[in-house]
C-alpha cells in the first residue's frame, strides 16, 4: 500500500468510514481502541482520506501506470493548475492536522472526519449525487486487499 499506509491500516480506516456512515458507535469504539504501534483512529482515517483523494484525483485526471514520464509531468501540471485539485489537497492537509491533534477515542471527531472523507470521495466521482457510499468503500476495500 502506498502513502505510508499498510493494507491493515487501510482496512481499519475503511471499516471506520463504514461504521461512521452507518452511525455504528459500537464498531467505531472497537476500531478506536488502538493497540501498541497502531495509529490513533482520527489520524488514520484522515491519512486514509488523503490516500483515497490522491487515488481519485489521479484517476480523474487520467493517470495510468503505463504512462511515460512526459505524460505524467503533463498530468502533474494539470493537477497543479486545477483549483479543485488544490482545494482537495488543502482539505486533506487540514483533516490530517486535525486527525493528528484529536484524542484517539473521540467518536464525534472521528465521525466528522470520516463523513468529510466520504463526502470528498463522492465529490470527485462521476455523479456524486448518485454515488452510493457502501459500494464505493467496497471498491477501495478491494484495492486494499489486492495491495494496490
Amino acid at each position: 500500500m502506498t502513502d505510508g499506509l499498510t493494507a491493515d491500516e487501510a482496512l481499519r480506516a475503511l471499516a471506520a468510514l463504514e461504521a461512521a456512515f452507518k452511525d455504528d458507535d459500537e464498531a467505531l469504539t472497537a476500531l478506536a481502541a488502538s493497540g501498541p504501534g497502531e495509529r490513533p483512529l482520527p489520524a488514520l482515517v484522515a491519512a486514509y482520506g488523503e490516500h483515497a483523494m490522491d487515488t481519485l484525483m489521479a484517476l480523474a485526471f487520467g493517470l495510468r501506470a503505463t504512462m511515460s514520464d512526459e505524460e505524467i509531468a503533463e498530468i502533474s501540471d494539470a493537477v497543479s493548475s486545477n483549483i479543485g485539485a488544490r482545494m482537495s489537497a488543502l482539505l486533506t492537509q487540514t483533516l490530517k492536522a486535525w486527525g493528528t491533534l484529536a484524542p484517539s477515542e473521540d467518536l464525534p471527531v472521528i465521525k466528522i472526519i470520516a463523513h468529510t472523507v466520504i463526502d470528498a470521495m463522492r465529490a470527485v466521482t462521476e455523479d456524486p449525487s448518485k454515488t452510493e457510499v457502501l459500494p464505493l468503500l467496497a471498491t477501495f476495500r478491494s484495492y486494499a486487499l489486492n495491495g494496490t
Side-chain angles (χ1 to χ4, degrees):
M1 173 117 306
T2 60
D3 304 328
L5 290 172
T6 66
D8 285 344
E9 287 177 319
L11 292 171
R12 182 173 165 231
L14 284 160
L17 291 173
E18 185 172 326
F21 179 73
K22 292 178 174 179
D23 202 26
D24 185 344
D25 287 352
E26 188 176 325
L28 268 180
T29 299
L31 290 162
S34 56
E38 289 184 328
R39 273 190 236 204
L41 194 56
L44 179 62
V45 171
Y48 187 81
E50 179 180 48
H51 163 75
M53 291 308 296
D54 286 350
T55 300
L56 289 168
M57 281 294 172
L59 291 171
F61 280 89
L63 185 66
R64 298 177 318 278
T66 58
M67 292 181 124
S68 69
D69 289 342
E70 188 175 280
E71 290 171 316
I72 291 172
E74 286 176 26
I75 286 184
S76 180
D77 289 343
V79 171
S80 296
S81 66
N82 181 282
I83 192 165
R86 292 193 313 264
M87 291 304 294
S88 172
L90 180 61
L91 169 69
T92 58
Q93 180 184 11
T94 302
L95 287 177
K96 281 180 65 175
W98 189 21
T100 301
L101 297 173
S104 62
E105 296 184 15
D106 188 334
L107 292 190
V109 169
I110 294 168
K111 285 180 179 182
I112 292 168
I113 292 171
H115 282 281
T116 303
V117 168
I118 290 167
D119 290 345
M121 290 169 73
R122 289 179 73 211
V124 296
T125 61
E126 201 168 300
D127 190 351
S129 66
K130 293 183 181 176
T131 299
E132 293 188 35
V133 172
L134 296 178
L136 179 64
L137 296 178
T139 299
F140 273 88
R141 186 175 294 108
S142 238
Y143 290 138
L145 288 169
N146 292 320
T148 56

